[in-house]
Amino acid sequence: MILDIFAQRARTFEGKLQVELAQLQHMSTRLIRGWTHLERQKGGIGLRGPGETQLETDRRLLRVRIKSITRRLEKVRRQREQGRRSRKRAEVPQAALVGYTNAGKSTLFNRVTESVVYAADQLFATLDPTLRRIDLPDIGPVVLADTVGFIRHLPHKLVEAFRATLEETRQADLLLHVIDSHDPERLENMDQVHSVLKEINADEVPQLEVYNKIDLLQGVEPKIQRNDEGRPVRVWVSAVTGDGIELLQEAIKELLSDDMLQGQLTLKPAQGRIRARLYRLGAIQSEAYSESGDIVLDIRLPKPDFERLSKQEGLSDGCFSISC
Ligand SMILES: Nc1nc2c(ncn2[C@@H]2O[C@H](COP(=O)(O)OP(=O)(O)OP(=O)(O)O)[C@@H](O)[C@H]2O)c(=O)[nH]1
Ligand SMILES: [Mg+2]
């Protein structure tokens, strides 16, 4: 039964609860059907058979269990939502690993998160083992999410059951589409992944293709492939041997920093309002005062946010420098 397969695959707490809920709901519809069937059989006799009582007990227990799981799910979702909001506030970019089942997402996840400085973050670590905060050189913290593999003919109900994974995907700043480069069916699988992404409205999120398992191919070296504008579009790696992992990090860094702006901003003491706004955006990394009393801020924030602020506050180019 497909729900059992998903039960084995669901690794997050929320995923497990989702699957159990789906199983219980499935059982309860069958119990109701069984019960009406019995009722019809005994109709007219007017006796409460022991079978009926058992069924009633089962149904009541099921209802209690369903209710308790629903409550726990709501709690987990609220926590997840809080985590996401605080990440958004701090503007920590998020990348999610997606791809067909068996492409090597989890292996890659472990490889990437072990090879960079691991910044323990209790909130994510305890809430969900498939989210990890990593520190990439030059770019700072990034949250990396592993997700459950996509398969063909994913029933619609189960798309709902994997809400957690799907939301990580939709809200990500970058999708790393992991592909088993050695699989003869990789093109069909990629199509399948694209159509699931479309179905969950995640097809607009920027994507990087990660051709994994190059250790199984003859004469393929790790490399970054770029489009005409020089943007990385595909990276060739092996999660098992670790070949190409630095290139992958480099590509992630380039794609994520594309939208981020980092530099030094010098403000007059009278421009405290701008400083306050930047604080609210979580954009200030450090601040100091110059000898003339100016405020010197190291800032990092999404480009559109900076452009909006600088237009509204009439910042001249002169007070901002990328590297001075
Ligand atoms: N040869 C080789 N095998 C790999 C590589 N990466 C992953 N594998 C193997 O591929 C299999 C699947 O790897 P996983 O990391 O579990 O794949 P996944 O994409 O997370 O799979 P799901 O979670 O089911 O979607 C495992 O047996 C891995 O050891 C690689 O670079 N080279
Ligand atoms: Mg996996």
Side-chain angles (χ1 to χ4, degrees), residues 42-59:
K42 294 185 184 241
I45 300 173
L47 286 174
R48 277 167 67 92
E52 275 178 52
T53 315
Q54 188 54 52
L55 278 170
E56 277 168 5
T57 317
D58 287 352
R59 288 177 62 205

Side-chain angles (χ1 to χ4, degrees), residues 31-40 52 55-56 59:
L31 272 184
I32 290 166
R33 239 183 281 132
W35 189 69
T36 39
H37 162 73
L38 267 185
E39 195 178 45
R40 218 178 301 124
E52 275 178 52
L55 278 170
E56 277 168 5
R59 288 177 62 205

Side-chain angles (χ1 to χ4, degrees), residues 187-238:
L187 293 177
E188 290 87 337
N189 295 349
M190 285 169 73
D191 279 350
Q192 183 61 25
V193 170
H194 288 139
S195 67
V196 174
L197 289 177
K198 204 172 160 75
E199 196 170 338
I200 62 169
N201 297 322
D203 52 333
E204 301 275 312
V205 183
Q207 275 183 42
L208 174 70
E209 288 179 357
V210 183
Y211 271 62
N212 188 31
K213 308 196 187 182
I214 57 168
D215 55 297
L216 300 175
L217 300 175
Q218 289 289 318
V220 176
E221 293 298 316
K223 58 175 175 268
I224 301 183
Q225 278 177 271
R226 297 169 185 276
N227 66 10
D228 294 344
E229 292 147 21
R231 269 175 81 91
V233 288
R234 187 174 302 128
V235 184
W236 297 74
V237 304
S238 165

Side-chain angles (χ1 to χ4, degrees), residues 279-304:
Y279 261 111
R280 279 201 298 279
L281 287 168
I284 298 181
Q285 298 186 308
S286 70
E287 72 176 349
Y289 288 90
S290 72
E291 277 172 18
S292 52
D294 291 342
I295 312 166
V296 183
L297 302 170
D298 282 319
I299 59 168
R300 183 172 173 281
L301 74 170
K303 266 183 201 153

